[in-house]
Amino acid sequence: MAPEPPSKPVSAVWKGKAKATEADFDDLNPVITYRHLHSRNLGVKDPLRVVALCDSDAFYAACEQVRLGIDPLLPLVVQQWDSLIAVNYPARKFGITRMEKIKEARKKCPELVVVHVATYREGEKEPGYWENPDTLTHKVSLDHYRRESMKIIKIFQEGLPTGEIEKASIDEAFIDFTRPVRDEILHRYPHLAQVPPDAPNGADSPLPPPPLILWDGLGTVIPVNPLSSGSSTDKLDLGTQDSDPASGDGVIDDDDELTTWHDVALSIAAELMGKMREDIRTKLGYTTSAGIARNKFLAKLTASYKKPNNQSILRNAAIPNYLRPMPFQKIRFLGGKLGKALAQEYDVSTVGDLLAISLDEMQRKFGENSVWVWEILRGIDRSEVKEKSAVNKSMCASKNLPQPITKASQGHHWIRVLAAELALRLNEARESNSGLWPKTIVLHVRQGYETARSKQAAFPFTRQVTVDLIASAGDKLWKELVGTGDARTRPMNINNVALSFAGVGTMEAGQQGIEGFFTTRTLPDELQRSAREGGVKRKIDSLNDPAEGPRANIGIGDDGGYSNALAGISTSFLCERCGKRVNLPDSLSDAGIGDEVRIEALEALRVEHDDFHLAQQLAKQLASNGSPQAIRAFDRPVQKKAKKQRAPEGIAKFLVRK
Ligand code: CTP
Ligand code: CA
Ligand code: CA
């Protein structure tokens, strides 16, 4: 389809920036009717939708403080070799940041409590808190933090059986309160259960005016008019870090006539969120910060409005003034190349500036998909809160080697250390899902400044996954990838080794993962239902265009996996089927976490890309013979498949075989 000609020259569109009006936000105050309230399946279009993001405060530091029973008021940091990976709030008061070395931190605060992160050492099955762990021989373990993270998720799941929970990173989760809040509204206001006989439009009549809301004790309500409500301008910024006693906890600055039923929904969600946060604090000892708003994007922004140990609420009426002054490059998805390109193209810096760019104009310059950006700027985000299935997960254990490997024989030590971590993680995951198995084991090796090379093999399905089993598979890959020779035959300078499991999952879950890629036209009924929602739509869009594989920036708009850095480890892979290079999204290009996260992200992307090809193939078959023949391939017993699978490239490979 040829792009439509621009309606106005860009400069004219852009110079009218002052004209961006309330119409830009006309999605924010919809009429809410009885039909809306009584419908249970409006999904992301629900005008009463309420989503929260709950993030743990100084998480790794809090985990160590609780584990050791240390007074939470004492300044504490978590050390990794000679750097810091977490700084608690009392330590932040001394000006200590995560960017610092341990020596500088101790200078700033001599009484600082310092805990070194747990490490693996060769020969041990479990990581430990050893005396003087050494980066030359040991490897960091985040296992304790992962476990604590799961306990927090459990509290959400148990506290909100009818809500949807999506773990978004090691210390945060999205919670969809829409359903429990709707139940509570109907419970508290039983007169809303019936459409009044004299309602002019029956079920399509608007609900009666909402009750007055008492926000006291529910959290910090972001003001509708920040400048006139007596709060300082720094409140406009993304994430005011310090507690601000004058921030009007529970105080609402504006006219109550603006109050809507959506505000009632937010206030009920705030009650429920507050209870669960209190549960986490009393049962586990962790404080958290939450944001409550109409969608995931806004919930995430709102969560950092005031930290720590706080929850903030963003009413729809407060969205325009909250977003407009925000530097858009601070928005996570717009922090990378895309944000830079937008800033340069239009010479702008705030969300308000960008509101002047029409949708047509943006799509012409940045492609069809930029509708997502256009909507985000207006406080619209259609991505669903959805529990991620275990399928296609990767587990990666990676070690940066301060002293590079120069002889092939030095590899064995590290492979055993990495294998111990993978064994622990897989076996722990199997405690709650005994059918889990990794389809593939991958060894990654990086030399000097090169990007990593990797080699993979099928991993056998066995009940007993031991360190030895993984290490011997790793050793085999090492021989194939690195050889057995020494520096004389082949100069060697390996500074990173990583061992990972890819495509971890069960077959049943595997089927679910693929459904999202079907077009609604070719889907069987029950699959259509699951594909109808917004989050899946982006994938369907790219599938609908047969000339295009999944886009390189496939992650844009996807709320999963906040993070990370890409130095060293490859940021893309070449697909052998379509010959295209597939890149990690911009949002994964900033400096940050470690190789493990990058490798896991790249593997997830590879599996996703394979799934795309698979879905195309299946869609073709469904279209030609109307019966989902290929799907039956899933019914084969898992064990047989594992044996047959010589060089698997995702589940795609063996599924297309008839
Ligand atoms: N983390 C890390 N490296 C990073 C970012 C995060 O190791 N570049 C770890 C931190 O140690 C942290 C956890 O991941 O404890 C969660 O990160 P984040 O929520 O960003 O920071 P917190 O330390 O939890 O601090 P805050 O209270 O500001 O959320
Ligand atoms: Ca955190
Ligand atoms: Ca976090």
Side-chain angles (χ1 to χ4, degrees):
M1 213 201 308
E4 284 178 33
S7 48
K8 287 187 227 166
V10 183
S11 57
V13 175
W14 152 231
K15 287 211 176 92
K17 74 169 174 179
K19 296 214 184 70
T21 60
E22 291 306 322
D24 282 318
F25 294 103
D26 59 6
D27 177 59
L28 300 183
N29 192 13
V31 173
I32 301 174
T33 64
Y34 286 90
R35 194 182 301 284
H36 287 134
L37 182 65
H38 298 164
S39 305
R40 300 203 149 249
N41 301 310
L42 297 175
V44 299
K45 290 195 186 129
D46 196 328
L48 286 169
R49 189 171 185 233
V50 185
V51 174
L53 182 280
C54 187
D55 179 289
S56 302
D57 299 322
F59 186 54
Y60 296 178
C63 287
E64 297 301 347
Q65 174 251 312
V66 168
R67 185 180 64 85
L68 298 166
I70 294 170
D71 179 352
L73 297 176
L74 294 178
L76 179 149
V77 294
V78 180
Q79 176 188 2
Q80 175 181 318
W81 319 130
D82 59 355
S83 303
L84 301 184
I85 53 169
V87 180
N88 77 353
Y89 282 78
R92 290 182 202 189
K93 290 221 170 98
F94 291 86
I96 298 170
T97 69
R98 198 149 54 191
M99 315 310 285
E100 275 165 333
K101 296 279 174 202
I102 190 74
K103 263 193 184 161
E104 299 159 36
R106 279 197 207 271
K107 256 188 236 160
K108 286 183 179 172
C109 174
E111 67 269 34
L112 189 65
V113 181
V114 179
V115 184
H116 196 287
V117 64
T119 54
Y120 285 91
R121 66 178 183 197
E122 194 186 345
E124 308 280 349
K125 273 196 184 153
E126 306 265 330
Y129 292 87
W130 323 108
E131 291 249 332
N132 302 321
D134 188 346
T135 180
L136 295 179
T137 47
H138 296 211
K139 187 213 171 290
V140 166
S141 150
L142 302 179
D143 301 292
H144 177 61
Y145 312 141
R146 282 195 192 102
R147 265 179 235 130
E148 293 301 290
S149 168
M150 284 319 298
K151 289 185 193 165
I152 295 176
I153 298 289
K154 278 228 168 74
I155 289 191
F156 292 143
Q157 289 167 338
E158 284 162 12
L160 213 63
T162 58
E164 191 77 29
I165 316 290
E166 175 185 323
K167 192 173 189 299
S169 81
I170 195 161
D171 78 333
E172 60 200 73
F174 286 105
I175 301 160
D176 193 328
F177 281 100
T178 314
R179 189 181 296 228
V181 160
R182 170 174 266 109
D183 293 344
E184 192 57 28
I185 289 180
L186 287 167
H187 176 71
R188 288 187 194 181
Y189 310 101
H191 61 286
L192 301 181
Q194 304 298 331
V195 181
D198 57 345
N201 291 317
D204 292 313
S205 310
L207 295 178
L212 210 85
I213 300 170
L214 296 173
W215 295 95
D216 298 271
L218 293 183
T220 304
V221 182
I222 297 181
V224 174
N225 295 301
L227 292 173
S228 64
S229 69
S231 54
S232 55
T233 45
D234 66 354
K235 299 271 295 291
L236 297 176
D237 210 345
L238 214 177
T240 306
Q241 289 292 318
D242 294 326
S243 295
D244 173 3
S247 70
D249 197 337
V251 175
I252 197 150
D253 60 301
D254 84 313
D255 222 325
D256 278 331
E257 83 186 76
L258 284 174
T259 297
T260 66
W261 279 102
H262 187 259
D263 293 327
V264 176
L266 287 171
S267 69
I268 294 172
E271 272 177 48
L272 300 171
M273 186 76 252
K275 276 188 198 135
M276 291 195 291
R277 289 182 46 248
E278 184 57 12
D279 250 14
I280 292 169
R281 202 183 59 77
T282 53
K283 290 186 183 153
L284 304 175
Y286 303 121
T287 66
T288 52
S289 296
I292 302 157
R294 68 195 298 247
N295 58 40
K296 290 170 84 177
F297 161 67
L298 293 170
K300 169 78 180 165
L301 273 189
T302 303
S304 54
Y305 185 74
K306 189 180 153 197
K307 286 170 118 175
N309 194 17
N310 190 57
Q311 62 184 39
S312 305
I313 300 151
L314 182 65
R315 300 172 59 211
N316 285 2
I319 292 171
N321 287 337
Y322 185 53
L323 287 183
R324 270 199 205 102
M326 196 172 282
F328 63 80
Q329 281 174 285
K330 278 196 177 181
I331 294 175
R332 186 166 55 93
F333 314 104
L334 301 178
K337 282 186 210 145
L338 180 60
K340 219 178 257 170
L342 283 164
Q344 278 170 2
E345 179 69 33
Y346 302 114
D347 190 23
V348 291
S349 62
T350 66
V351 170
D353 294 341
L354 271 187
L355 289 175
I357 313 302
S358 72
L359 178 59
D360 276 358
E361 157 62 17
M362 204 176 267
Q363 287 186 311
R364 220 162 37 81
K365 285 262 159 53
F366 295 95
E368 294 275 305
N369 276 0
S370 59
V371 61
W372 181 82
V373 176
W374 191 87
E375 288 188 335
I376 278 292
L377 298 169
R378 286 154 181 82
I380 301 167
D381 173 16
R382 301 179 206 277
S383 51
E384 283 177 276
V385 176
K386 212 161 190 181
E387 188 184 339
K388 301 229 171 74
S389 74
V391 77
N392 291 345
K393 280 234 174 96
S394 307
M395 293 178 181
C396 177
S398 160
K399 175 68 190 179
N400 279 326
L401 302 166
Q403 212 165 69
I405 290 179
T406 53
K407 285 193 202 116
S409 58
Q410 294 162 340
H412 182 68
H413 162 81
W414 288 115
I415 283 172
R416 280 198 65 81
V417 170
L418 299 173
E421 176 167 354
L422 286 185
L424 185 95
R425 283 182 65 184
L426 183 72
N427 287 319
E428 262 181 26
R430 279 184 165 184
E431 281 168 20
S432 49
N433 184 352
S434 60
L436 276 186
W437 65 289
K439 296 180 193 72
T440 313
I441 180 167
V442 193
L443 176 73
H444 311 252
V445 160
R446 190 170 76 224
Q447 296 241 28
Y449 293 103
E450 288 171 14
T451 51
R453 287 180 297 136
S454 63
K455 187 105 198 157
Q456 60 180 37
F459 194 78
F461 180 88
T462 40
R463 289 271 158 230
Q464 292 289 318
V465 175
T466 60
V467 180
D468 288 340
L469 182 75
I470 301 170
S472 73
D475 282 339
K476 199 156 165 271
L477 289 171
W478 177 266
K479 264 186 208 133
E480 291 168 21
L481 189 62
V482 177
T484 48
D486 62 18
R488 273 165 300 170
T489 51
R490 204 193 210 205
M492 193 180 288
N493 181 33
I494 293 170
N495 54 19
N496 176 277
V497 188
L499 199 58
S500 62
F501 283 147
V504 180
T506 56
M507 270 309 117
E508 299 74 37
Q511 277 173 279
Q512 283 167 19
I514 288 152
E515 289 156 15
F517 290 88
F518 285 90
T519 64
T520 41
R521 270 172 286 123
T522 51
L523 273 176
D525 279 356
E526 72 276 17
L527 300 189
Q528 287 205 19
R529 226 171 299 128
S530 73
R532 229 172 261 140
E533 321 231 8
V536 171
K537 180 154 185 317
R538 276 187 294 277
K539 290 174 185 167
I540 293 173
D541 284 347
S542 56
L543 180 65
N544 280 341
D545 183 353
E548 267 200 273
R551 289 169 191 274
N553 58 358
I554 206 164
I556 288 185
D558 182 343
D559 274 317
Y562 290 88
S563 31
N564 307 328
L566 292 162
I569 293 290
S570 178
T571 62
S572 67
F573 66 88
L574 195 66
C575 172
E576 285 170 12
R577 289 184 169 206
C578 62
K580 277 200 179 147
R581 184 154 285 283
V582 183
N583 295 296
L584 278 176
D586 284 354
S587 57
L588 289 164
S589 314
D590 301 331
I593 298 181
D595 292 341
E596 295 176 9
V597 185
R598 293 173 233 156
I599 290 171
E600 286 181 8
L602 198 63
E603 272 165 9
L605 192 64
R606 194 193 292 269
V607 173
E608 190 169 358
H609 186 87
D610 276 346
D611 278 359
F612 161 76
H613 285 300
L614 166 71
Q616 253 189 344
Q617 188 94 18
L618 285 175
K620 263 186 217 154
Q621 289 182 10
L622 282 167
S624 64
N625 62 18
S627 77
Q629 292 268 326
I631 290 178
R632 289 200 200 117
F634 278 114
D635 300 336
R636 287 183 206 151
V638 166
Q639 219 146 348
K640 261 191 201 159
K641 226 175 300 170
K643 274 184 198 151
K644 275 191 181 172
Q645 190 186 4
R646 286 251 161 71
E649 291 167 30
I651 26 188
K653 265 272 145 97
F654 61 81
L655 268 172
V656 293
R657 205 189 296 153
K658 271 209 178 169

